[in-house]
Amino acid sequence: MTLSGVARVAFVGSRRIFASHLPSMQSYTPAFSRQMSVGMKSVTDRLRDSGLLRTQGLIGGKWIDAYDGKTLEVHNPATGEVIANVSCMGGKETKDAISSAFDAFNSWSKLTAAERSKGLRKWYDLLMAHKEELGQLITLEQGKPLKEAVGEVDYGAKFIEFYAEEAKRVYGEIIPATLPDRRLFVLKQPVGVAGAITPWNFPLAMITRKVGPALACGCTVVVKPSEFTPLTALAAAELALQAGIPPGVVNVVMGNAPDIGDALLTSPQVRKITFTGSTAVGKKLMAGAAGTVKKVSLELGGNAPCIVFDDADLNVAVNGA
């Protein structure tokens, strides 16, 4: 999926920002590159020692197994090896995550924009401090080259940095009144709990560009990452906790996608759905959101096919792809 050249839309309260000025992946060139010259076990051991290799869901600030004990395997796409077994959650866990986010919303939304900004800034600092480990984790579970993975951490963290500043600029409006003794003004308020459903191809950046603006304006979130790449989402959530983001503000559930999606769509406490993925699933989410009249932000399609013609240099085409 190509991000540059496409109008990227983020939500802040009830308004949209057409963020063509947001950080561009293509504009970033890592200052360094590395090769994962050690075995997968050494990498996973280091990630585990750093506290970033989480395998449970996050609900209300607590790391929780699936209620029925089920797990799902996360594979290294390069080798087929199992990296970890993570909790395979469903509707019950999602409902509890929504309740946790709803409870946290009451206090998080009442913080000043400056206070929320400080928390986001600390989260950004921790993401950057753990750039190497997060890059290795992305490469392990998603499969992109390490140079691109480290670049994604930079790219994804910049969304948190951007909205840490934007949090302080959610301005209202004064509207000229038709009567001389009246004054009309508009206040921007957070919509409530947001459900964020993200794809596998940018396991960090797709989360930060949804969660960053939500938290900035005072929303709380329930994140559903791809079942193929949940480890990066869980690591990012761990760093959010370390940054002092209060329990329940960020929740992560993964596993049974239809059950999780249904719980998000049917809950009256979820007021926003943001999704990046296929058009077919986007249509289902839009239809499901109608029942409780949720706000919806969808980024659909984007399979970015690579067409190689007969007269192409195959080696160049493979390297480009």
Side-chain angles (χ1 to χ4, degrees):
M1 180 179 65
T2 301
L3 296 183
S4 61
V6 177
R8 298 192 293 277
V9 183
F11 65 88
V12 177
S14 59
R15 68 175 177 168
R16 294 181 296 170
I17 294 178
F18 287 85
S20 58
H21 58 289
L22 289 179
S24 169
M25 184 72 166
Q26 288 190 349
S27 65
Y28 170 72
T29 302
F32 53 88
S33 61
R34 305 177 180 85
Q35 293 183 345
M36 295 180 72
S37 58
V38 294
M40 188 183 78
K41 188 176 186 304
S42 296
V43 176
T44 54
D45 286 345
R46 287 206 307 274
L47 289 167
R48 189 173 287 108
D49 291 342
S50 69
L52 294 181
L53 189 61
R54 291 287 183 176
T55 58
Q56 299 168 295
L58 180 63
I59 300 176
K62 297 180 180 178
W63 297 102
I64 295 177
D65 291 319
Y67 295 160
D68 59 7
K70 289 183 179 179
T71 61
L72 59 89
E73 295 179 342
V74 180
H75 294 90
N76 179 342
T79 64
E81 293 179 84
V82 176
I83 304 170
N85 290 280
V86 301
S87 301
C88 183
M89 296 177 154
K92 292 181 179 179
E93 295 89 346
T94 305
K95 290 176 182 177
D96 285 347
I98 293 168
S99 295
S100 172
F102 185 77
D103 291 341
F105 175 74
N106 292 324
S107 55
W108 180 251
S109 62
K110 289 180 174 62
L111 293 178
T112 65
E115 289 175 302
R116 293 195 297 268
S117 176
K118 289 178 183 177
L120 286 169
R121 182 70 202 194
K122 289 179 182 178
W123 190 15
Y124 164 77
D125 290 339
L126 285 172
L127 289 169
M128 295 303 293
H130 293 278
K131 180 165 63 174
E132 182 173 354
E133 296 101 311
L134 290 170
Q136 291 174 341
L137 186 55
I138 290 171
T139 294
L140 271 182
E141 69 170 348
Q142 195 274 338
K144 66 181 60 177
L146 185 59
K147 182 177 180 180
E148 290 190 22
V150 173
E152 183 186 339
V153 179
D154 246 329
Y155 169 62
K158 281 182 170 61
F159 285 113
I160 302 301
E161 180 187 38
F162 179 89
Y163 286 106
E165 294 303 314
E166 194 66 16
K168 296 177 283 188
R169 291 187 283 272
V170 183
Y171 301 136
E173 297 176 79
I174 300 295
I175 301 172
T178 56
L179 298 174
D181 60 342
R182 307 292 169 87
R183 177 174 292 175
L184 306 179
F185 60 93
V186 176
L187 297 177
K188 300 291 179 64
Q189 295 181 320
V191 295
V193 178
I197 305 173
T198 61
W200 66 275
N201 55 342
F202 283 83
L204 179 69
M206 293 297 99
I207 288 173
T208 55
R209 85 169 183 178
K210 296 178 185 296
V211 174
L215 268 55
C217 71
C219 294
T220 54
V221 296
V222 177
V223 179
K224 188 272 170 193
S226 167
E227 61 271 22
F228 297 114
T229 56
L231 299 176
T232 304
L234 297 172
E238 165 63 25
L239 293 177
L241 290 177
Q242 292 182 23
I245 303 295
V249 173
V250 176
N251 304 272
V252 183
V253 291
M254 63 278 172
N256 189 318
D259 286 355
I260 293 172
D262 287 345
L264 291 171
L265 290 172
T266 57
S267 172
Q269 294 178 328
V270 176
R271 302 309 309 146
K272 171 84 182 188
I273 294 290
T274 172
F275 169 72
T276 297
S278 72
T279 303
V281 173
K283 289 179 178 179
K284 292 179 180 179
L285 292 174
M286 179 176 282
T292 50
V293 197
K294 303 185 196 303
K295 296 179 180 293
V296 179
S297 291
L298 303 175
E299 181 193 16
L300 309 180
N303 291 313
C306 180
I307 301 173
V308 181
F309 291 99
D310 291 341
D311 60 347
D313 185 322
L314 189 58
N315 290 330
V316 173
V318 169
N319 288 335

